[in-house]
Amino acid sequence: MFEQLSNLMKQFGNEAVINNPAVPNEHNEAVLGEASNSIVNNLKEMIANGNISDVASLFNNDNASNSSNPVVQQLTEKLSGNLGEKFGLSNDVSSDVAGGLIPKVLGSLIGKAKDPNDSSINVSDIIGSLTSGNSEASGGLMDAVSKYGSSFGLDQNGDGKVGMDDAIAAVSNKSGGLGGLLGKLFGK
């Protein structure tokens, strides 16, 4: 996930950082690196603090690119503060840089993970990176998916819960199988 995130930072960083005269050129790479680290570290912190459903909500619709989404707002605010603190950027410049990067990068990252035709990253890569192999946190994130899964049509057997029996039903179902199930979960 880190490599993909870094690539997206470079892709979207031109306007917000590289071509921004308010960001000194000698800080360009460090600012982009700080933005990447900020996204990962702050999402990990949210999960560690029990905000698993908030992080899971990034995978619904276009929430990851929506600057009014509370998770996106929090990530943007934290990055803005870090940029001012570490690089001496004014509040306005820090806010502009963070606001120009976070929604675009997150939206693209989550979009790529949800795209069945893009194998550069997948949802399990993101979950693994954010939970650092912590089975309790991974399980919590999967619990959040289960909790909200019926609203995405994942409750294959109609019992009001999303569980292993639904996964088995999805795999054996002729209308899309597991790929169809995952596509419903991630909006495809």
Side-chain angles (χ1 to χ4, degrees), residues 5-6 8-10 12-39 75 78-90 93-102 105:
L5 191 57
S6 178
L8 290 171
M9 279 298 165
K10 289 176 185 172
F12 293 109
N14 278 334
E15 183 181 336
V17 179
I18 307 296
N19 297 330
N20 186 342
V23 178
N25 288 337
E26 65 267 16
H27 294 311
N28 287 346
E29 291 298 317
V31 167
L32 293 175
E34 179 63 30
S36 293
N37 290 334
S38 181
I39 288 174
L75 293 174
K78 287 191 175 201
L79 175 59
S80 178
N82 289 349
L83 294 176
E85 198 176 291
K86 292 183 178 184
F87 302 104
L89 302 177
S90 72
V93 171
S94 295
S95 293
D96 287 347
V97 169
L101 284 175
I102 297 293
V105 170

Side-chain angles (χ1 to χ4, degrees), residues 32-94:
L32 293 175
E34 179 63 30
S36 293
N37 290 334
S38 181
I39 288 174
V40 172
N41 293 335
N42 287 311
L43 287 174
K44 283 181 176 183
E45 183 181 313
M46 289 175 165
I47 291 170
N49 290 334
N51 297 336
I52 293 171
S53 62
D54 292 342
V55 174
S57 77
L58 290 174
F59 292 91
N60 299 339
N61 303 316
D62 292 324
N63 283 342
S65 61
N66 184 345
S67 60
S68 64
N69 177 294
V71 173
V72 175
Q73 284 179 340
Q74 185 175 348
L75 293 174
T76 301
E77 289 169 10
K78 287 191 175 201
L79 175 59
S80 178
N82 289 349
L83 294 176
E85 198 176 291
K86 292 183 178 184
F87 302 104
L89 302 177
S90 72
N91 286 340
D92 288 343
V93 171
S94 295

Side-chain angles (χ1 to χ4, degrees), residues 14 27 50 60 62 64 66 74 127 135 143 147 152 166 176 182:
N14 278 334
H27 294 311
N60 299 339
D62 292 324
N66 184 345
Q74 185 175 348
I127 291 172
S135 60
D143 287 345
K147 179 178 178 184
F152 299 110
D166 296 303
L182 293 173

